[in-house]
Amino acid sequence: MSLAVGIWVCLIFSLIIIGGLGIFRYPIPSLQDDSYEPPHHSPGLRKTYYSLRCYGFLPYTHVKVGRVQVDLALLDVKVAILFYKPEDLLHPVRKRRLKKRTKFLIRNGWNVWEVREKDLSKNIHQAIWQIRALRK
């Protein structure tokens, strides 16, 4: 009787450990309360959000993937859009943090776009065509 219980306990713990490794390897995106609303901190992101909705995509804002906060995410094609300001590239800590977040998302199978306001306002249609190509 005790041998059978011991085997079951070992089996359950091994399944928990294997499941835990799978979760840490492929982090699950979690949505916040305001993930269904358009972004409010950038007019370019807001324009991108509405343009993607017009093309039939379902974009989410403020999505957490592991410890990384993604500004705009398309969960069906695994595209993450990270918004940064030009002065973030001048500050070494912020630049390192942006590169670290990008590497984490790429390692977990996401297509990452680091964009700033100027890029979004000028090249919005090219970005949408690239996203549409990923969907096919």
Side-chain angles (χ1 to χ4, degrees):
M1 178 75 175
S2 65
L3 180 64
V5 171
I7 291 173
W8 276 107
V9 168
C10 289
L11 181 66
I12 290 172
F13 280 130
S14 63
L15 289 175
I16 290 173
I17 290 173
I18 291 170
L21 291 175
I23 289 172
F24 292 124
R25 182 170 292 159
Y26 299 108
I28 299 171
S30 62
L31 302 176
Q32 309 298 324
D33 293 335
D34 59 345
S35 291
Y36 302 101
E37 300 173 3
H40 53 82
H41 62 278
S42 166
L45 276 176
R46 193 175 314 117
K47 182 179 176 183
T48 306
Y49 177 87
Y50 286 123
S51 298
L52 288 170
R53 290 201 50 143
C54 288
Y55 280 103
F57 290 98
L58 188 59
Y60 295 100
T61 58
H62 308 292
V63 177
K64 281 191 91 162
V65 180
R67 294 182 183 175
V68 176
Q69 182 80 21
V70 178
D71 295 314
L72 196 61
L74 299 170
L75 299 179
D76 55 347
V77 290
K78 288 186 92 170
V79 173
I81 299 174
L82 297 175
F83 180 74
Y84 70 93
K85 297 176 183 168
E87 58 266 11
D88 289 345
L89 298 179
L90 297 175
H91 197 276
V93 175
R94 291 181 188 165
K95 184 176 180 180
R96 196 171 343 151
R97 190 180 310 140
L98 181 66
K99 294 297 176 192
K100 194 175 183 181
R101 288 190 278 165
T102 303
K103 283 181 185 178
F104 175 79
L105 289 170
I106 290 172
R107 220 176 336 150
N108 290 302
W110 286 78
N111 293 319
V112 180
W113 290 351
E114 298 172 349
V115 296
R116 58 184 193 180
E117 188 73 36
K118 183 177 162 184
D119 298 336
L120 283 176
S121 60
K122 286 186 178 178
N123 303 324
I124 182 79
H125 296 293
Q126 290 175 352
I128 290 175
W129 281 104
Q130 289 175 356
I131 292 171
R132 288 181 71 189
L134 288 173
R135 188 181 229 182
K136 294 178 182 179

